[in-house]
Amino acid sequence: EAGVTQFPSHSVIEKGQTVTLRCDPISGHDNLYWYRRVMGKEIKFLLHFVKESKQDESGMPNNRFLAERTGGTYSTLKVQPAELEDSGVYFCASSQDEGDTEAFFGQGTRLTVV
Amino acid sequence: QKEVEQNSGPLSVPEGAIASLNCTYSDRGSQSFFWYRQYSGKSPELIMSIYSNGDKEDGRFTAQLNKASQYVSLLIRDSQPSDSATYLCAVIGTSYGKLTFGQGTILTVHP
């Protein structure tokens, strides 16, 4: 069974540019989460999808971040325009269904804004 | 006060010894507790989950939970060099599915 897959693995962009990160959860997993780790800090929650609906987006830092999950399958996280403080590793995780609290993580996308 | 606190280490133990990793959390309503292992450049990997007070054993790993003290620990018996990694404590509080992580403890097992 394929795990959680994230694309790209690395991205280096200039301040002011746009970047889109993609996450493919484990097939059949309704819950999809985005997390971020900035250097020297702990992994922090960004948002949670249940199928195609945003269940909780309390961790989204500001309106430069837009997450979508059309059709309830893969998800994208777009940062527009990117700022230097957006640099970090963005993780995606998924879990199967309501009540399932054990989440499986992707390898992350390392975003560097220069 | 951080929501989930871990000693960042590094914690260094000899091969074959017991490694003890500790974590405290601030939300008394927390119900689910997890330990993830993360090798450098890799994804966090779930190694233990615990939901009720007491001990839970899985192979060389034992998780311990004390909700009254708001304390979770992970013991690794017969530590191996391959156990060298960052160990992340994570907690789910009142927001369904939302993990709150500690900073992680770096464990080094030396031969």
Coordinates of all heavy atoms in Angstrom, one line a residue, chain A residues 8 16 28 44 73-74 97 104 109:
Chain A
P8 N 6.5 19.0 -4.3 CA 7.8 18.4 -4.5 C 8.5 18.1 -3.2 O 8.0 18.4 -2.2 CB 8.6 19.5 -5.3 CG 8.0 20.8 -4.7 CD 6.5 20.5 -4.4
G16 N 7.9 36.7 -2.8 CA 6.9 37.3 -3.7 C 6.4 36.3 -4.7 O 5.3 36.6 -5.3
G28 N -8.3 6.0 0.4 CA -9.4 5.7 1.3 C -9.4 6.5 2.6 O -10.4 6.4 3.4
K44 N 3.9 22.2 13.7 CA 2.6 22.9 14.1 C 1.5 22.6 13.1 O 1.8 22.6 11.9 CB 2.8 24.4 14.2 CG 3.6 24.8 15.4 CD 3.3 26.2 16.0 CE 3.8 26.3 17.4 NZ 3.5 27.7 17.9
T73 N -9.8 13.9 -2.6 CA -8.7 13.0 -2.8 C -7.4 13.7 -2.4 O -7.1 13.9 -1.2 CB -8.6 12.5 -4.2 OG1 -8.6 13.6 -5.1 CG2 -9.8 11.6 -4.5
Y74 N -6.6 14.2 -3.4 CA -5.4 14.9 -3.1 C -5.7 16.3 -2.6 O -6.8 16.8 -2.8 CB -4.4 14.9 -4.3 CG -4.9 15.7 -5.4 CD1 -4.4 17.1 -5.5 CD2 -5.7 15.3 -6.4 CE1 -4.8 17.9 -6.5 CE2 -6.1 16.1 -7.5 CZ -5.6 17.4 -7.5 OH -6.0 18.2 -8.5
D97 N -10.7 7.3 9.1 CA -12.1 7.7 9.2 C -12.4 8.3 10.5 O -11.5 8.4 11.4 CB -13.1 6.6 8.9 CG -12.8 5.3 9.7 OD1 -12.2 5.5 10.8 OD2 -13.1 4.2 9.3
F104 N -0.8 9.1 9.5 CA 0.5 8.7 8.8 C 1.0 9.9 8.0 O 0.2 10.5 7.3 CB 0.2 7.5 7.9 CG -0.3 6.3 8.7 CD1 -1.6 6.1 9.0 CD2 0.6 5.3 9.1 CE1 -2.1 5.0 9.7 CE2 0.2 4.2 9.8 CZ -1.1 4.0 10.1
T109 N 7.6 18.5 2.3 CA 8.2 19.4 1.3 C 9.0 20.4 2.0 O 8.5 21.2 2.9 CB 7.1 20.1 0.5 OG1 6.4 19.1 -0.3 CG2 7.7 21.1 -0.5

